[in-house]
């Protein structure tokens, strides 16, 4: 499913990354475009126009399943990613995943897909780049690559 919302990168048919924190209109549009779930990776400490509890209410009112899985780049570790992967497996698809810029959402999604598909670090970084999400020069991209290599045994 190709969506028309600005600043959204489709990684595959079930996972799209919003490079922005959606407001009420964007969440309603996501539901209209066929998304069934939304994941928010922003932490409570981040300045947000829509707080996670309010975003949950809006998303659920629009018919979306909502998951708040806060990720701070400084606190990123394998356990946090593994916990997210278990949560992602339970969400109705397709899923719209977001943070403030799309980097954390993209990283978390790419790591989940790498583990699911057995992709090594180079392959998953290439997958992101091919779909418009280039984390190769980002610090978080180094973690993505290393995580995928650990999970694939590369």
């Amino acid at each position: 499913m190709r969506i028309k919302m600005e600043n959204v990168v489709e990684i595959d048919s079930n996972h799209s990354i919003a490079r922005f924190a959606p407001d009420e209109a964007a969440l309603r549009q996501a539901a209209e475009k066929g998304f069934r779930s939304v994941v928010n990776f922003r932490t409570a400490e981040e300045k947000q126009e829509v707080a996670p509890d309010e975003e949950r209410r809006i998303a659920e009112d629009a018919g979306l399943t909502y998951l708040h899985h806060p990720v701070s780049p400084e606190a990123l570790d394998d356990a946090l990613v593994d916990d997210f992967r278990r949560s992602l497996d339970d969400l109705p698809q397709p899923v719209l995943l977001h943070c403030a810029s799309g980097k954390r959402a993209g990283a978390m999604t790419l790591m989940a897909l790498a583990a699911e598909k057995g992709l090594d670090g180079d392959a998953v970084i290439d997958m992101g780049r091919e779909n418009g999400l280039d984390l190769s020069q980002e610090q978080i991209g180094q973690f993505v690559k290393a995580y995928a290599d650990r999970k694939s045994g590369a």
Side-chain angles (χ1 to χ4, degrees), residues 31-46:
E32 290 167 7
K33 294 287 184 186
F35 285 99
R36 297 186 57 213
S37 301
V38 64
V39 178
N40 176 3
F41 291 103
R42 298 184 78 184
T43 66
E45 294 76 35
E46 290 180 66

Side-chain angles (χ1 to χ4, degrees), residues 67-120:
L67 172 65
H68 184 220
H69 191 88
V71 172
S72 167
E74 301 80 35
L76 190 57
D77 62 18
D78 286 10
L80 185 66
V81 179
D82 293 342
D83 183 47
F84 166 66
R85 288 176 40 218
R86 285 186 292 275
S87 297
L88 182 62
D89 287 343
D90 294 335
L91 293 176
Q93 297 181 349
V95 182
L96 180 66
L97 306 104
H98 79 84
C99 54
S101 67
K103 291 177 186 173
R104 284 172 288 169
M108 296 293 284
T109 303
L110 289 172
M111 287 184 283
L113 292 173
E116 175 187 319
K117 298 174 187 267
L119 302 175
D120 68 18

